[in-house]
Amino acid sequence: MINGIFNLLFLALAGIIFGMSVYALVHALRVPADAFISAGKLKKNIWLLILGLATLFSAIGAYTYLINFMYVGGQQLLGIGLGIFSIAAVVAATVYIVDVKPAVKGMGGRGGNNGPYGPW
């Protein structure tokens, strides 16, 4: 019983890691390249490469954990099973969301509808 609860918890953690990576990648795709340079961050192409690899590794990790969870269930403890690549994916997505996203927020973009007192 307790093994099943821990396995379910680790499965949810793997899903959250994948979700963070996808969110960061989609946001990086939507931000103009000039915003990264204006904010003094790495270039957009480098962030897309980092976040693309993070998304790939976290997707593979979540998929293998899901398959193992379906096979084993609560019979035995699967363990954390994150591995170094999933940890790197968490670090990359967290750095982007916490540091880069606020720095590039509002820079560039769709433009044209901002007045002196905000959007109109």
Side-chain angles (χ1 to χ4, degrees), residues 57-71:
F57 292 141
S58 63
I60 291 170
Y63 176 75
T64 56
Y65 205 86
L66 176 67
I67 295 301
N68 289 336
F69 179 75
M70 292 300 190
Y71 180 70

Side-chain angles (χ1 to χ4, degrees), residues 41-58:
K41 303 299 177 186
L42 293 175
K43 291 184 179 181
K44 180 177 182 172
N45 292 339
I46 295 173
W47 273 113
L48 289 177
L49 177 67
I50 292 169
L51 295 173
L53 289 173
T55 303
L56 176 69
F57 292 141
S58 63

Side-chain angles (χ1 to χ4, degrees), residues 2-18 61-62 65-66 69 76-82 86:
I2 194 78
N3 290 339
I5 293 171
F6 278 125
N7 288 342
L8 189 61
L9 177 70
F10 292 137
L11 178 62
L13 185 62
I16 290 170
I17 293 170
F18 176 65
Y65 205 86
L66 176 67
F69 179 75
Q76 64 186 27
L77 182 64
L78 292 173
I80 294 176
L82 294 177
S86 292

